[in-house]
Structures are given as structure tokens and as C-alpha cells.
Amino acid sequence: MTDLETAAPAFVAMAHSIVWASIATVDSAGRPRTRILHPYWVWEHGRLTGWVATAPTATKRAHIARNPFVSCNYWSPTHDTCAAECRADLLFDEEVRERVWHLFRDTPEPLGYDPAGVPGWEKPSSPDFAVMRLSPWRLRVFPGAGRGAGLGNAVLTWQEPRPELTPQGAG
């Protein structure tokens, strides 16, 4: 198992080089549903957070309300793969929407783009614009053919400690 301080920057480097991720939610019958989304990951102050500009569709709202956990997977043609298993929250707070809208607008392509170019997202307060916050509890970085994120052949895996598995007194 890798520590978060090693895994998170490697994950961000690979994810941002790939840009687009398949993200799976779970429906009311326990069936997965995937969609392609464009997370922007921020690693700061020992915390990794993914930000997704998204349309708050009825399906997405229902899935996340029922089961707030998602799987986020990236793949490149060189077979670099990385995954983040996350808690997802749909946010409608004006300050958060403004910050994330500008984060994407002010970041150079291919990671950034102009949200105003998406129909219904003309401004951060547009009713069809929301933010999904991704809070990882598990990361995996798997360089394909030994060429990923400058890691050679290293496969990195981090998982948040589960309190019920932590020995008593181990903090």
C-alpha cells in the first residue's frame, strides 16, 4: 500500500494527462451506469478533491442521493490507467459553482475549457449547471507498458484507513 502523499500527485498527473474519465454510479436496482466526465483534481494541504462541472440530471441526482459512491476510471491508448473510488456530492452552492466554473474556464486546454460554450451553462448560476465534488477513499495508478506519470513500472495503491480496521490506539 502506498501513502497518499505519493499516490495523489501521481494520480493527478496521470488523470490530467488523460483528461476524460468513465464515472459509474449505481441505480435503485443496484445496477451500475457509466458516463464520461471531465474531473479537475486538486491536491493541496494533504487532501485530494475532484471537481466536475456537470448537468444535474434527474438520473444523476437520484443515483447519488441513493448511493453517494462512484467509481472514476481513466484509460489512455498506452494503457496507462488510474482509478479513484470516491464519495460524490452534487453541490448547488453559488460560491462553489462560481469557483469551479472559473477553474475550468481559466485553466488551459485540454484540462480546461469554457463552460459558457456548453448549452445551459452560460454562467455559473445557470440552472443546468452544478458541481460534483469527488472525495477519494481509494486510488490506483497503473502505468501501462512502464510509461506512466514518470513512475516506471510502479503500481501505486492508496486506501483510506477504515476506522473499524485500525488497531486500538493507532490513531
Side-chain angles (χ1 to χ4, degrees):
M1 197 64 63
T2 307
D3 62 33
L4 183 60
E5 290 73 26
T6 302
F11 173 83
V12 171
M14 187 179 286
H16 284 185
S17 73
I18 297 170
V19 181
W20 294 93
S22 295
I23 296 185
T25 57
V26 178
D27 72 11
S28 62
R31 299 170 299 206
R33 179 178 284 184
T34 59
R35 61 199 42 85
I36 302 296
L37 295 173
H38 186 148
Y40 187 107
W41 295 92
V42 177
W43 168 243
E44 61 186 2
H45 311 296
R47 182 179 178 101
L48 180 62
T49 305
W51 299 105
V52 180
T54 192
T57 64
T59 299
K60 202 176 293 167
R61 285 177 186 242
H63 287 196
I64 291 172
R66 184 177 189 286
N67 184 340
F69 294 97
V70 302
S71 181
C72 178
N73 190 63
Y74 292 85
W75 172 84
S76 78
T78 61
H79 301 295
D80 289 340
T81 62
C82 59
E85 308 299 335
C86 305
R87 176 179 177 90
D89 296 289
L90 276 175
L91 306 173
F92 300 91
D93 173 85
E94 291 299 320
E95 182 182 319
V96 172
R97 294 192 317 163
E98 178 100 14
R99 183 166 34 97
V100 172
W101 196 89
H102 287 282
L103 175 69
F104 280 101
R105 188 196 68 186
D106 298 340
T107 298
E109 291 183 6
L111 191 57
Y113 62 93
D114 183 4
V118 177
W121 293 8
E122 289 75 20
K123 54 188 176 183
S125 60
S126 298
D128 290 337
F129 178 78
V131 171
M132 184 186 301
R133 179 180 55 211
L134 302 174
S135 303
W137 60 269
R138 185 176 191 277
L139 298 173
R140 187 159 194 260
V141 181
F142 192 106
R147 301 182 296 267
L151 300 171
N153 291 319
V155 175
L156 306 177
T157 303
W158 167 83
Q159 184 166 321
E160 188 175 76
R162 290 175 43 193
E164 68 273 15
L165 298 180
T166 303
Q168 226 174 358

